[in-house]
Amino acid sequence: MGLTLAQKLIKAHLVDGEMKVGTEIGLRIDQTLTQDATGTMAYLEFEAMGIDRVKTEKSVAYIDHNTLQTGFENADDHRYIQTVTKKHGIYFSRPGNGICHQVHLERFGIPGKTLIGSDSHTPTGGGIGMLAIGAGGLDVAVAMGGGAYYIPMPKMTRINLHGCLKPWVSAKDIILKVLEIMSVKGGVGKIIEYGGDGIKSLSVPERATITNMGAELGATTSIFPSDEITLAFLKAQGREKDWTEILPDEDAVYDEIINIDLGELVPMAACPHMPDKVKTAEEIGKIKVDQVAIGSCTNSSFVDMMKVARILKGKTVAPNVSLCIAPGSKQVLNMLALNGALSDMISAGARILESACGPCIGMGQSPNSGGVSLRTFNRNFEGRSGTKDAGIYLVSPEVAAASALTGYLTDPRELGEAPEAAMPEKFIINDNMIEPPASPEEAESVEVVRGPNIKPFPKTQPLPDEITAKAVLKVGDNITTDHIMPAGAKILPYRSNIPHLSQYCFAVCDESFPERIKSEGKGFIIGGSNYGQGSSREHAALVPLYLGVKAVITKSFARIHAANLVNAGILPFTFKNEEDYDKINQMDELSLPNIRERIENNEPVVLKNLTSGEEYELVSSHLSERQRKMLLCGGLLDYTREITNKPKGL
Ligand code: MIC
Ligand code: SF4
């Protein structure tokens, strides 16, 4: 039986387990990436492991999220990351150099390699044929130290793209269509492989737009083959020697096959507040727009920006619209500056932002209250923009630029002839903002600079024999990590200060939660399905750990968050019978009797409701033996210390 593309890469990197769907496999990791909002914690964790130099082929730290410096905190964290990476063998991409996923694709990604990143959009690398997976910071720290990365062996989904896109329809519309078909939880436990004759008309940056938003499907990752299109991109980046052809076997077997006719797609948008609430631009109609934001790791490539510049050229942004544009990397921005496209954007009235995540993570440019904002980004969760009642629509660069001119949501086909913008044969290559690490000899004298905002890692404890606590919070379906641990300009500077962050835990759902759990001292969280989707931020586990959350019991989990909970020593269980979710009320007193013994012996887990006298069966079979051992120790750090006999360092 032939292998799929992803199965081939898994097989070539398998160091533990069997390729049996659902069972845990350990992968050798060739490359890692971090960004600054998750990086500080990841490097503190790496330091705590006591390893001198990274063992990966290439590890890169990017500064792209916390670029608004309204106080010393972000700048201090940048200094810490710059010095700690220099010391331990990691490349450092300076602030201003661009968004991690865009720059990684341009300068470091290699077809056929494995990459994990402490950011959920790491699958962007799948656009170049990498097996690129988003992970928690602690997992990235372990991989930098040479440890395997563990995931449940995913199912294989094949999406065949047929034909060609019509004018004004773009890669963003393809992934919005996939989201419409599969939903935000349709990709959980799956790798999505793209194929079919239609992929030949998609350049690497377009493919990367699609694999990037595979994160919104909940997929483990998404991947395109490495073919002549990949070679053309690598050549244009001066890296053709990094190319190898990687295709699936002709007789590969997939668990699911979806066919999409590209010629039938039209411009679309994901409506507030979920990326799968997809409608066509025509269906939504001409709603008035207050803001348009173009950029993010999804749609900030050179070709995206050129399309936008061509649409804006010689026109003026509508008076009711604030248009901001953040080109994805220094390479992109530089090329736009040199070919005059930047000038076209500025002349039209665009507000040019630095090459960084910016408004995508709520770092500035929050819309007006009740405002409508069209964004070429990938997430439109409630409150993520910084304005709780704003309506965020996710759109292609074409829809965004057209709407910025008209002032209302516009199907760009109304504008007449579509702009031509092709991938260049040669990108401008200037890696002067990427600092290589110190040599092993020089590394000893590198001093790691730590600012006062860096606070210790929350305390963990071995799993006790029994846990009794209240259901301090009950939430519904599709809770995102943005709900659990919001981001934005006010909070992001404190990513290395868990006590400070804890005041904002679940602020979007229930502002009184932190106080309530603090006064209880401990608690359980009850959640619906797809709990913890979205961002990979391990803070959504570390902050609950700090506040005393002992277990999270849901209808189902998103993959990265479930792993982060285990890494933090918090028990993640699901209900055997989903109806039991309805039987628990917030503040019921719950108990997990003999929990240590049950986890140790892999026995069924029972949850007692001491308030109602009921009992519910819970599922723990998704926990691997390794994860059960981790939970017994109190989390991944304790487990790693135990198996390597490392002293407690943090
Ligand atoms: C996001 O898009 O939500 C982020 C910010 O990039 C996160 C990482 C983080 O929270 O730091 C992600 O996607 O993992
Ligand atoms: Fe940055 Fe937004 Fe991409 Fe996250 S999704 S990495 S915040 S641009």
Side-chain angles (χ1 to χ4, degrees), residues 35 37-38 65 119-121 361 379 384 482 495 535-537:
Q35 36 89 341
T38 52
H65 281 62
D119 192 282
S120 63
H121 289 102
I361 188 57
R379 291 188 171 141
R384 182 176 159 102
D482 273 89
R495 281 291 181 91
S535 156
S536 67
R537 59 190 74 150

Side-chain angles (χ1 to χ4, degrees), residues 305-315 339 341 344-345 405 419-422:
M305 292 293 149
M306 284 309 297
K307 287 193 269 190
V308 169
R310 300 242 150 97
I311 297 170
L312 296 179
K313 191 179 167 85
K315 313 248 170 50
N339 74 7
D344 294 333
M345 292 172 169
L405 293 177
E420 286 288 323

Side-chain angles (χ1 to χ4, degrees), residues 65 99-101 119 121 296-297 357 360-361 378-379 384:
H65 281 62
I99 305 174
C100 54
H101 308 302
D119 192 282
H121 289 102
S296 91
C297 56
C357 302
C360 179
I361 188 57
N378 47 37
R379 291 188 171 141
R384 182 176 159 102

Side-chain angles (χ1 to χ4, degrees), residues 411-632:
D411 183 331
R413 291 174 298 179
E414 287 173 17
L415 299 194
E417 213 173 304
E420 286 288 323
M423 208 192 66
E425 279 184 18
K426 203 96 215 96
F427 289 97
I428 296 177
I429 295 154
N430 177 359
D431 290 333
N432 62 341
M433 294 291 276
I434 297 172
E435 272 184 25
S439 67
E441 299 73 46
E442 288 161 357
E444 272 184 36
S445 59
V446 175
E447 193 207 334
V448 178
V449 183
R450 283 162 228 276
N453 189 37
I454 295 180
K455 297 285 182 271
F457 194 83
K459 285 209 171 49
T460 51
Q461 280 166 350
L463 189 64
D465 294 334
E466 170 167 341
I467 306 173
T468 301
K470 289 196 178 142
V472 277
L473 185 72
K474 184 173 177 185
V475 287
D477 290 344
N478 288 325
I479 287 294
T480 71
T481 43
D482 273 89
H483 290 102
I484 306 170
M485 197 53 256
K490 287 196 205 98
I491 311 179
L492 268 175
Y494 298 96
R495 281 291 181 91
S496 48
N497 184 342
I498 301 289
H500 184 92
L501 280 184
S502 71
Q503 308 167 57
Y504 303 97
C505 189
F506 277 106
V508 188
C509 310
D510 180 349
E511 277 181 359
S512 57
F513 168 72
E515 275 316 307
R516 195 161 63 246
I517 183 161
K518 271 192 202 150
S519 70
E520 290 293 329
K522 59 183 172 176
F524 292 123
I525 292 176
I526 307 297
S529 59
N530 201 25
Y531 179 91
Q533 66 159 322
S535 156
S536 67
R537 59 190 74 150
E538 62 187 336
H539 304 75
L542 297 179
V543 169
L545 165 70
Y546 171 82
L547 287 170
V549 173
K550 303 294 175 199
V552 181
I553 302 157
T554 69
K555 291 185 186 170
S556 68
F557 284 100
R559 180 188 63 88
I560 306 178
H561 186 61
N564 283 341
L565 287 172
V566 176
N567 288 353
I570 298 177
L571 297 161
F573 294 130
T574 53
F575 291 103
K576 185 157 183 216
N577 303 310
E578 285 199 356
E579 316 79 72
D580 289 343
Y581 165 89
D582 299 317
K583 299 181 188 154
I584 301 176
N585 294 315
Q586 189 162 299
M587 293 316 270
D588 279 359
E589 178 98 8
L590 306 174
S591 174
L592 289 167
N594 304 325
I595 188 63
R596 189 171 174 91
E597 197 183 310
R598 285 171 195 251
I599 293 290
E600 215 157 14
N601 303 329
N602 200 11
E603 287 166 0
V605 175
V606 173
L607 179 70
K608 284 193 173 169
N609 188 333
L610 304 179
T611 307
S612 68
E614 292 168 341
E615 282 191 4
Y616 320 110
E617 278 182 78
L618 302 182
V619 180
S620 61
S621 53
H622 52 283
L623 297 171
S624 66
E625 195 188 330
R626 185 188 66 96
Q627 288 185 309
R628 282 187 281 111
K629 283 187 183 152
M630 268 195 307
L631 287 166
L632 293 171

